[in-house]
Amino acid sequence: TQLLEQSPQFLSIQEGENLTVYCNSSSVFSSLQWYRQEPGEGPVLLVTVVTGGEVKKLKRLTFQFGDARKDSSLHITAAQTGDTGLYLCAGPQSGGYQKVTFGIGTKLQVIP
Amino acid sequence: DVKVTQSSRYLVKRTGEKVFLECVQDMDHENMFWYRQDPGLGLRLIYFSYDVKMKEKGDIPEGYSVSREKKERFSLILESASTNQTSMYLCASSFHLGGLTYEQYFGPGTRLTVT
């Protein structure tokens, strides 16, 4: 079974601070996705990383895929209250049908 | 934009009732999924479907069944609701790309409470 471990599980920071959250596995993934889920809503896809070492930027969010495609990180610069939410990483399971393994997530709270 | 809708945002049912949760997607996706999400346990796959009338069990299918009579619609059925099925239920869909991305698109969720 391919597992994705996310750390930290909880993070509370002041507005304007920088932060990094991590998604790690002992398995190689062909790609990893990051989702953000606001309270009471469904997850929304932020980005997909496919190539080892790839870096993608989405405004103040920077996503990196590890060289060995076993891990990924999400860095947020100058966090805003609108960044509050649950950040999930996910990767495709082997075996077809496009089943996905999800991490438990990092719950981020940005305090004004 | 891909749109996935779920029939109810909040639902309160009594123990033993039969419960239907419906999900509709408008992007002609082949794959559809039902998850439940509980604190500390993350997203757990209940059932998925890769084509009309086709279904596969996920990690926690006990107490649930599904129906997919049309491509755009995937229903989750709780045959006899129990209090341990109180949860957030999320529907998702994805293309059958045969590629690498496996991106899923989620509905807003149904918060089900069984009393």
Side-chain angles (χ1 to χ4, degrees), chain A residues 30-31 33 35 37 40-43 45 48 50 86 88 92 97-100 102 104, chain B residues 9 31 33 35 37 40 43 45 48 94-97 100-104 106-108:
Chain A
S30 56
S31 67
Q33 290 84 47
Y35 297 80
Q37 183 179 19
E41 301 292 333
L45 180 69
T48 297
V50 178
L86 180 69
L88 296 162
Y97 302 133
Q98 300 206 355
K99 285 172 65 177
V100 169
F102 284 88
I104 283 183
Chain B
R9 294 298 302 272
N31 304 314
F33 306 81
Y35 297 91
Q37 185 177 34
L43 282 158
L45 181 64
F48 67 101
S94 70
F95 283 116
H96 181 64
L97 289 171
L100 299 178
T101 58
Y102 298 80
E103 297 169 349
Q104 299 204 345
F106 285 85

Side-chain angles (χ1 to χ4, degrees), chain B residues 46-61:
Chain B
I46 304 171
Y47 267 96
F48 67 101
S49 169
Y50 54 92
D51 202 350
V52 175
K53 296 192 186 294
M54 305 304 289
K55 61 186 178 185
E56 292 285 338
K57 292 180 180 179
D59 301 318
I60 52 163

Side-chain angles (χ1 to χ4, degrees), chain B residues 8-22:
Chain B
S8 305
R9 294 298 302 272
Y10 301 94
L11 212 50
V12 180
K13 294 293 181 181
R14 294 198 179 274
T15 301
E17 279 192 83
K18 193 168 186 176
V19 181
F20 293 87
L21 303 181
E22 291 206 318

Side-chain angles (χ1 to χ4, degrees), chain B residues 32-92:
Chain B
M32 295 188 75
F33 306 81
W34 275 107
Y35 297 91
R36 62 177 284 177
Q37 185 177 34
D38 301 286
L41 297 176
L43 282 158
R44 292 181 291 169
L45 181 64
I46 304 171
Y47 267 96
F48 67 101
S49 169
Y50 54 92
D51 202 350
V52 175
K53 296 192 186 294
M54 305 304 289
K55 61 186 178 185
E56 292 285 338
K57 292 180 180 179
D59 301 318
I60 52 163
E62 296 78 21
Y64 303 94
S65 62
V66 291
S67 172
R68 192 160 179 209
E69 297 297 318
K70 293 185 178 181
K71 190 174 185 179
E72 67 271 18
R73 191 179 297 268
F74 192 34
S75 300
L76 179 69
I77 302 145
L78 285 65
E79 297 291 342
S80 177
S82 63
T83 55
N84 63 12
Q85 293 178 310
T86 292
S87 186
M88 174 70 140
Y89 288 87
L90 290 162
C91 174

